[in-house]
Amino acid sequence: MAVAVRGGRGGGSALRNFFSYRIFVSAMFTLLFLATLSVLFSSHHDSTIGNAYLHRSLVSINSDPLKTRLDLIHKQANDHIALVNAYTAYARKLKLEIAKQLKMFEDLAQNFSDLQSKQNYRSNLFDTDGPLDDDSLKQFEKEVKDKVKFARLLIADSKESYDNQLKIQKLKDTIFAVNELFVKAKKNGAFASSIAAKSTPKSLHCLAMRLMEERISHPEKYRDEDPEPEYEDPTLYHYAIFSDNVIAVSVVVNSVIKNAEEPWKHVFHVVTDRMNLAAMKVWFKMRPIQQAHIEIKSVEDFTFLTSSYVPVLKQLESAKLQNFYFQNSAENATQDVNNMKFKNPKYLSMLNHLRFYLPEMYPTLHRILFLDDDVVVQKDLTALWTIDLDGKVNGAVETCFGSFHRYSQYLNFSHPLVREKFNPKACAWAFGMNIFDLDAWRREKCTEQYHYWQNLNEDRTLWKLGTLPAGLMTFFSKTKSLDKSWHVLGLGFNPSVSMDEIHKAAVIHYNGDMKPWLDIALNQYKELWTKYIDSEMEFVQMCNFGV
């Protein structure tokens, strides 16, 4: 029994030691906490208040029930002072353009300090060793809470300026939204531009109708005449122009003749479609080009151009190809802006592919200069007929620079046959002003080569479409590079072509959608084209070409 009693006393002593240790640890943590508050408090306002408050807290911590409440309010105020000061310092470090916010942060920190320095609060809450005044505490709490609320609102409104992750995310969201709008606008713009480029302007339609009306009203004036012997004279300078645009052809012919030193030696072979043949003939009958010779024919006049011989005509009979070009064109056009231009049916127009049949169309000629209908000639071109092509078939200006306009951009080099036959880094050249050696063409059998590649591309796996890729393949290693001053391109899409470069050029080319006869033409280049329009022609004036 005695042993039990001793054991019980020993256990009680251990229990008392345990509780004493607990009390001691709690007291130490309390002192450490209050000391920390005092340091924070003293860094922003008068140290006397902090010392007095610490002294009062240590002496009277258990004597007044309002003290704990004041401690919490005081801590909340100091925490927000520290937070506001941290944002202020960070803003200065970043040198942000937010002077108004900096001033508000500084004023707010000062207001917190001034609030605790008020005489009423000092005497009733901080400097007294007696009981705290309940009314003063309530008023102090209300003011602190109001300022805390304002501080939180200010920090929330300003957080975006300091939170890098938030700024980055908002920037990403903005970029994504703007990009979506840009892609949509680009598609709509490209579609509208494509429609404008493909459409026949009212002025062009008017001109064609007026010319047809003239032909019908005065048939005796426009009877077909016998071919001139100059059409087959290989000693003269021959041009090939294939187009259904009357005004464009007239500009090309006028610009050549006005800059030619011997205009009587120039022969123009104009080929159009059946619909525009009469209008084209009436124009050059009403406005003959002095001294020059002009032969006008339609595609149908060349009877060898049949679907059994011409791959393009055969492909046009394909229901699949017709569906690709002529059905749901409006819907398909907005699906892929980059490929939308390849949906243009003009790329399978026979007028576009006639250039591959020049030796058969003009069997007596040795050389011929091919010109697109969207070019303007600014100098005498006769030197082109004397250029040594080194046995090559085609003389053309190369268009590559750096990695741009290489064969890889026009042909599908994932196709094994293309990869085997061509160099992806080979330099591309321009179709639109090309001097062709027809004898070399016949010797190299280039038309057969064109047929071979065009037949293989019926499913559009070798190239997207158009005549340039077919030409690059047909005349690969058979093209002589000409000096770039002979042919300057880009006036139909590039507003940055140098005017010095343009004025030095023998031929300028409005390749692209912004043709000079359209309302969407680039204004800075339009006058170079319009000055060759026959503005005295009555139908041009009636159809309001704006010249």
Side-chain angles (χ1 to χ4, degrees), residues 10 181 247 292 363 414 517:
L181 292 174
I247 198 74
S414 64
W517 53 84

Side-chain angles (χ1 to χ4, degrees), residues 55 96 146 217 349 411 414 432 442 501 505 511:
H55 175 71
L96 298 176
D146 288 344
S217 300
S349 164
L411 305 179
S414 64
R442 297 179 186 105
E501 189 179 1
N511 58 309

Side-chain angles (χ1 to χ4, degrees), residues 340-354:
M340 185 172 64
K341 64 180 181 179
F342 299 114
K343 303 283 286 186
N344 193 335
K346 78 173 186 177
Y347 289 117
L348 283 184
S349 164
M350 197 56 225
L351 280 177
N352 229 22
H353 286 259
L354 276 181

Side-chain angles (χ1 to χ4, degrees), residues 320-533:
K320 184 178 180 180
L321 202 65
Q322 291 176 9
N323 180 67
F324 176 78
Y325 278 108
F326 302 110
Q327 291 187 15
N328 301 321
S329 56
E331 177 184 349
N332 293 336
T334 58
Q335 298 299 315
D336 187 348
V337 175
N338 295 324
N339 292 330
M340 185 172 64
K341 64 180 181 179
F342 299 114
K343 303 283 286 186
N344 193 335
K346 78 173 186 177
Y347 289 117
L348 283 184
S349 164
M350 197 56 225
L351 280 177
N352 229 22
H353 286 259
L354 276 181
R355 64 192 73 187
F356 293 105
Y357 299 95
L358 288 169
E360 294 165 274
M361 295 170 70
Y362 308 107
T364 64
L365 303 182
H366 304 303
R367 282 198 178 190
I368 195 167
L369 181 65
F370 171 76
L371 293 177
D372 265 341
D373 65 354
D374 55 352
V375 305
V376 170
V377 177
Q378 301 185 126
K379 296 180 180 179
D380 183 78
L381 300 180
T382 54
L384 287 169
W385 277 264
T386 60
I387 287 180
D388 184 2
L389 294 180
D390 299 326
K392 307 287 187 180
V393 177
N394 173 30
V397 170
E398 292 184 337
T399 56
C400 61
F401 59 97
S403 61
F404 297 97
H405 296 276
R406 302 283 177 176
Y407 267 54
S408 58
Q409 292 181 275
Y410 300 95
L411 305 179
N412 177 20
F413 275 87
S414 64
H415 194 289
L417 195 56
V418 174
R419 192 164 57 246
E420 176 187 346
K421 296 290 185 180
F422 303 99
N423 178 6
K425 295 182 180 179
C427 188
W429 42 265
F431 245 153
M433 190 221 70
N434 306 80
I435 184 71
F436 288 111
D437 184 332
L438 300 183
D439 293 331
W441 185 318
R442 297 179 186 105
R443 183 180 66 250
E444 296 290 341
K445 299 182 178 181
C446 291
T447 300
E448 288 85 342
Q449 283 291 309
Y450 159 71
H451 284 175
Y452 172 75
W453 294 115
Q454 190 69 42
N455 279 320
L456 285 176
N457 196 50
E458 184 173 4
D459 56 359
R460 302 181 301 281
T461 56
L462 303 186
W463 69 87
K464 288 290 187 180
L465 280 173
T467 54
L468 179 56
L472 294 176
M473 301 177 90
T474 300
F475 302 113
F476 180 65
S477 74
K478 301 180 183 71
T479 297
K480 166 82 171 185
S481 176
L482 303 180
D483 187 275
K484 291 186 181 297
S485 63
W486 279 111
H487 187 189
V488 170
L489 299 98
L491 278 69
F493 70 90
N494 182 8
S496 302
V497 181
S498 165
M499 291 306 296
D500 288 339
E501 189 179 1
I502 290 172
H503 290 314
K504 292 176 183 177
V507 175
I508 55 176
H509 195 168
Y510 292 82
N511 58 309
D513 285 341
M514 301 177 186
K515 302 300 185 188
W517 53 84
L518 299 177
D519 291 336
I520 60 174
L522 294 169
N523 290 329
Q524 65 265 42
Y525 307 136
K526 194 165 185 176
E527 190 273 336
L528 299 169
W529 183 82
T530 56
K531 71 179 182 180
Y532 289 106
I533 291 180

Side-chain angles (χ1 to χ4, degrees), residues 79-294:
D79 287 347
H80 282 80
I81 289 174
L83 185 60
V84 168
N85 283 333
Y87 271 93
T88 304
Y90 190 49
R92 288 198 186 96
K93 181 179 179 181
L94 295 179
K95 298 180 180 180
L96 298 176
E97 299 294 331
I98 49 172
K100 184 178 179 181
Q101 288 186 8
L102 285 174
K103 184 67 168 62
M104 293 176 70
F105 278 131
E106 291 171 349
D107 290 346
L108 185 58
Q110 187 62 42
N111 288 341
F112 271 117
S113 298
D114 292 345
L115 177 64
Q116 298 174 79
S117 300
K118 285 185 178 180
Q119 183 61 38
N120 178 47
Y121 296 145
R122 289 184 62 178
S123 59
N124 293 329
L125 299 176
F126 299 108
D127 291 346
T128 180
D129 291 332
L132 302 183
D133 182 68
D134 186 50
D135 291 337
S136 297
L137 180 59
K138 287 181 179 179
Q139 182 62 31
F140 179 69
E141 182 179 23
K142 181 179 183 303
E143 291 196 48
V144 168
K145 285 184 176 180
D146 288 344
K147 295 189 184 306
V148 166
K149 182 179 180 181
F150 179 72
R152 288 175 177 173
L153 289 173
L154 178 60
I155 290 170
D157 290 341
S158 308
K159 190 175 182 180
E160 181 186 331
S161 300
Y162 307 95
D163 190 332
N164 289 335
Q165 289 300 323
L166 187 62
K167 289 164 67 177
I168 291 171
Q169 186 57 49
K170 185 169 183 180
L171 182 60
K172 285 182 177 178
D173 293 343
T174 302
I175 291 173
F176 179 79
V178 171
N179 186 63
E180 287 290 300
L181 292 174
F182 173 73
V183 170
K184 184 177 180 180
K186 186 178 178 182
K187 286 183 178 180
N188 291 338
F191 184 51
S193 177
S194 177
I195 291 175
K198 295 175 187 177
S199 303
T200 301
K202 183 178 180 180
S203 54
L204 279 180
H205 180 71
C206 167
L207 179 62
M209 293 301 100
R210 293 286 182 180
L211 292 169
M212 285 295 296
E213 182 182 9
E214 172 70 13
R215 173 70 174 81
I216 294 170
S217 300
H218 307 285
E220 70 282 356
K221 289 184 180 181
Y222 304 105
R223 292 192 180 96
D224 291 337
E225 298 177 353
D226 294 333
E228 299 179 20
E230 288 81 4
Y231 295 165
E232 298 182 359
D233 187 348
T235 64
L236 301 178
Y237 305 116
H238 292 262
Y239 301 80
I241 307 171
F242 307 143
S243 174
D244 58 0
N245 187 328
V246 176
I247 198 74
V249 171
S250 73
V251 166
V252 176
V253 174
N254 283 344
S255 65
V256 171
I257 294 304
K258 287 186 178 182
N259 291 287
E261 295 178 2
E262 300 174 306
W264 58 89
K265 291 185 177 181
H266 294 262
V267 182
F268 298 91
H269 301 273
V270 177
V271 181
T272 187
D273 54 26
R274 183 180 297 169
M275 182 181 297
N276 291 280
L277 178 63
M280 197 78 73
K281 286 184 174 181
V282 171
W283 172 278
F284 285 104
K285 191 75 171 180
M286 292 182 68
R287 312 298 294 180
I289 304 298
Q290 296 299 324
Q291 300 178 305
H293 311 278
I294 301 176

Side-chain angles (χ1 to χ4, degrees), residues 287-303:
R287 312 298 294 180
I289 304 298
Q290 296 299 324
Q291 300 178 305
H293 311 278
I294 301 176
E295 178 190 42
I296 301 173
K297 288 188 173 184
S298 71
V299 175
E300 290 74 16
D301 291 330
F302 298 94
T303 55

